[in-house]
Amino acid sequence: MITAKLNNYRQSPRKVRLIANLVKGKKVDEALDILGFAGKRASLPLKTLIESAISNAKNNFNLDKESLFVKEFRVDVGAILYRRMPRARGTAYPVRKRTSHVSLELESREIKEAKSSKLKKAKTLAEKKEKAADIK
């Protein structure tokens, strides 16, 4: 599991989630293409975050770019900056400038297939044990 994080990104989480939800579960190449053509401000930082995670995968785990896919793309609420806007008759209204914490997890198809084959083997062993117990 390869991770990358972007903390305190100065855009509201609601707007960032629109873009993050577009690429969940997609292959990395496909996700980069989608983000390249998305007409939202959040697409460029998310694209650089995916590229950073890809370089982490290459350098730290020796994984190919073609085998990676976006397992999880989570956008959480960050710190809120409270500001004031002057209004009529000397009053001040609050303005909340929201930030986002973005976390990304990539996974290799090979690792996922290995995990699923281990689970299948474990299930078949459990079924054999149950059949043996039923026979006795």
Side-chain angles (χ1 to χ4, degrees):
M1 178 170 32
I2 299 95
T3 61
K5 289 187 178 182
L6 172 63
N7 288 329
N8 296 320
Y9 173 57
R10 231 332 253 121
Q11 193 171 14
S12 71
R14 185 175 176 181
K15 294 175 184 176
V16 179
R17 274 189 207 110
L18 287 172
I19 301 299
N21 289 337
L22 288 175
V23 297
K24 282 183 185 177
K26 303 260 193 299
K27 289 184 178 180
V28 172
D29 293 329
E30 194 176 330
L32 290 175
D33 289 340
I34 290 170
L35 292 175
F37 287 103
K40 297 283 187 178
R41 191 181 112 194
S43 61
L44 183 63
L46 296 185
K47 185 176 179 179
T48 57
L49 185 67
I50 290 177
E51 290 168 350
S52 172
I54 291 169
S55 65
N56 288 344
K58 285 182 183 176
N59 292 332
N60 299 339
F61 301 103
N62 295 324
L63 293 173
D64 292 333
K65 182 178 177 181
E66 291 79 27
S67 68
L68 296 174
F69 72 99
V70 179
K71 181 180 179 185
E72 184 178 5
F73 217 143
R74 193 172 63 241
V75 180
D76 296 325
V77 177
I80 300 173
L81 306 174
Y82 290 96
R83 302 291 182 257
R84 298 286 173 186
M85 178 69 78
R87 300 302 291 205
R89 299 185 181 185
T91 59
Y93 281 11
V95 175
R96 292 181 211 90
K97 296 185 177 261
R98 300 177 187 271
T99 61
S100 303
H101 293 320
V102 183
S103 60
L104 168 68
E105 288 183 15
L106 299 180
E107 191 167 320
S108 176
R109 294 277 182 205
E110 297 145 8
I111 293 171
K112 186 177 180 182
E113 290 170 2
K115 285 182 183 177
S116 65
S117 65
K118 285 181 184 178
L119 288 173
K120 287 178 185 176
K121 288 178 185 177
K123 285 181 182 178
T124 55
L125 287 174
E127 289 173 2
K128 287 179 183 178
K129 287 180 183 178
E130 286 178 12
K131 288 180 182 178
D134 289 341
I135 293 172
K136 290 180 183 179

